[in-house]
Amino acid sequence: MTVVKLDHALIKHKLTNIRKSSTSTKDFYQNVNEIAGLMAYEISKDFPVRQIEITTPICKSMQPELACEVVIVPILRAGLGMVDGIRNLIPTAKVGFIGLYRDEETLEPHKYFCKLPETIHNGITLVVDPMLATGGSAISAIQMLKEEGATDIRFACLVAAPEGVEALSNAHPDVKIYLASEDEKLNENGYIVPGLGDCGDRLFGTK
Ligand code: PRP
Ligand code: URA
């Protein structure tokens, strides 16, 4: 299992912005996307490249270009908040969608949507969800992706509870986990402490 905590001053600063309950929906959405972009820069640093011949204004030259298909898979709804920030950096990435919601009583994930591109079989799949709480949603989404043929899967979240990191690492030890912060714990309602509240509602202004 590999867990990478992204240690960057801008990520920390923007994370503090979204933790504040006074942050507006617009600023919350913008900061989530910006953090996702900064994380993608780090996550993609070892993506494979191949040499291609190009012509510069001066001469022909062999230069590197990305040599892999990238599929971003947001877990709906909150994962949608991370997609644009990553696509700004990797515009060739395809996007698949997995819809899951957490039952408020049992905290069990329930699937309601799945639409994935063909390239899921032969590329790098980056599953994104700002919150990793019990880990149930991420574990279930990654299980679905493996059943659909994804092999190289990475998971990126903004805020994780230690309980979720442990559960996800145990369930899918082959999946590399990237996080911006590992917080203290889950509370009795399954919310991350100190966390940032309900991420989906804050992104889309639904409460
Ligand atoms: C939130 C969050 C994760 C999940 C994390 O989604 O975006 O998907 O909870 O919790 P877990 O690790 O305990 O499964 P939620 O179910 O609230 O749906 P939403 O994104 O539509 O608001
Ligand atoms: N989902 C959220 O949106 N926030 C939490 O703290 C836990 C799960």
Side-chain angles (χ1 to χ4, degrees), residues 102 131 133 186 190-192 195-200:
R102 223 170 53 138
M131 311 305 282
L186 288 179
Y191 277 84
I192 300 171
L196 48 79
D198 188 307
C199 195

Side-chain angles (χ1 to χ4, degrees), residues 36-202:
L38 291 165
M39 293 181 78
Y41 178 73
E42 192 59 30
I43 292 167
S44 57
K45 72 179 180 193
D46 67 345
F47 281 6
V49 292
R50 66 179 156 237
Q51 294 293 319
I52 57 162
E53 186 180 271
I54 60 158
T55 308
T56 77
I58 309 299
C59 64
K60 286 191 187 302
S61 171
M62 296 301 287
Q63 296 294 335
E65 70 168 12
L66 264 190
C68 60
E69 294 283 352
V70 179
V71 180
I72 307 164
V73 181
I75 301 177
L76 307 182
R77 287 175 303 166
L80 282 177
M82 297 174 70
V83 173
D84 286 347
I86 302 173
R87 289 184 85 198
N88 284 341
L89 289 189
I90 315 174
T92 52
K94 307 280 191 297
V95 184
F97 301 90
I98 291 182
L100 292 172
Y101 72 89
R102 223 170 53 138
D103 183 292
E104 284 182 9
E105 298 293 320
T106 65
L107 304 181
E108 288 295 317
H110 292 273
K111 174 184 158 185
Y112 60 88
F113 191 70
C114 183
K115 179 83 177 163
L116 302 169
E118 296 274 319
T119 47
I120 201 82
H121 304 277
N122 51 8
I124 294 175
T125 301
L126 180 57
V127 184
V128 297
D129 190 329
M131 311 305 282
L132 179 66
T134 64
S137 302
I139 291 169
S140 168
I142 291 168
Q143 189 56 41
M144 286 162 63
L145 287 163
K146 286 183 175 175
E147 284 162 12
E148 293 295 327
T151 50
D152 185 342
I153 303 174
R154 305 170 193 212
F155 178 79
C157 72
L158 270 48
V159 179
E163 295 89 331
V165 175
E166 191 184 349
L168 179 55
S169 310
N170 289 339
H172 297 292
D174 54 312
V175 172
K176 203 164 172 177
I177 303 170
Y178 296 86
L179 26 112
S181 171
E182 184 166 314
D183 279 13
E184 285 163 31
K185 59 176 183 181
L186 288 179
N187 70 13
E188 59 285 2
N189 299 318
Y191 277 84
I192 300 171
V193 181
L196 48 79
D198 188 307
C199 195
D201 283 338
R202 296 199 63 193

